[in-house]
Amino acid sequence: MTRWSGTAGFQGRPAPVASSRLTSAIAASLAIGALALCLVVTLTLLSSNITMATPVPA
């Protein structure tokens, strides 16, 4: 079995997969999504703590 150079593995020159603008746009959207998720989790925890702190009328 003969191995041809550059056809498999990490040999040869890497080809660009995406443009830098696309990479930056994906990174920005992931950052915004992470911040939104943190905000939702924070608001959920705060609202549950407020609900647990209020006394239940008997």
Side-chain angles (χ1 to χ4, degrees):
M1 181 180 262
T2 304
R3 172 180 263 174
W4 299 96
S5 65
T7 57
F10 294 102
Q11 298 173 351
R13 189 173 64 86
V17 177
S19 68
S20 62
R21 289 181 64 192
L22 180 61
T23 305
S24 298
I26 292 173
S29 64
L30 286 174
I32 291 172
L35 287 175
L37 182 63
C38 288
L39 182 65
V40 167
V41 169
T42 302
L43 290 177
T44 303
L45 289 175
L46 287 175
S47 66
S48 66
N49 285 340
I50 291 172
T51 305
M52 289 171 48
T54 54
V56 178

